[in-house]
């Protein structure tokens, strides 16, 4: 029961958003991992396993989340500016 309490406390602290800093494809699994407090690898393994069982539904849900979720850094302009500055000068 304590793990459930830890996950629910983590979910209250973070909002559900994509995490582009740890993204493999779109950052959906990394965002879900950050939101739930579970390891990103665990979420990715569950996603791959669900692809084998529920191919169409998994693709639809992942696609909708990739389109609907905001990026984690969408509201933080300072990170966007520093990243664009870094890319422009290297």
């Amino acid at each position: 029961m304590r793990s459930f309490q830890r996950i629910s406390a983590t979910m209250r602290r973070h909002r559900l958003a994509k995490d582009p800093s740890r993204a493999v494809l779109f950052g959906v699994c990394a965002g879900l991992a950050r939101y739930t407090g579970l390891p990103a690898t665990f979420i990715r393994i569950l996603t791959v396993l669900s692809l084998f069982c529920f191919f169409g539904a998994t693709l639809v849900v992942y696609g909708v989340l990739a389109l609907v979720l905001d990026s984690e850094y969408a509201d933080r302009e300072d990170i966007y500016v520093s990243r664009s500055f870094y890319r422009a000068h290297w």
Side-chain angles (χ1 to χ4, degrees), residues 31-78:
L32 285 171
R34 181 176 173 89
Y35 182 69
T36 59
L38 297 170
T41 305
F42 180 72
I43 300 293
R44 290 180 181 124
I45 289 171
L46 285 178
T47 303
V48 170
L49 289 176
S50 68
L51 276 173
F52 288 119
C53 297
F54 314 104
F55 182 75
T58 303
L59 286 181
V60 168
V61 169
Y62 189 89
V64 167
L65 288 175
L67 292 173
V68 171
L69 291 180
D70 288 333
S71 176
E72 179 181 310
Y73 302 120
D75 55 347
R76 295 180 58 190
E77 295 180 15
D78 57 332

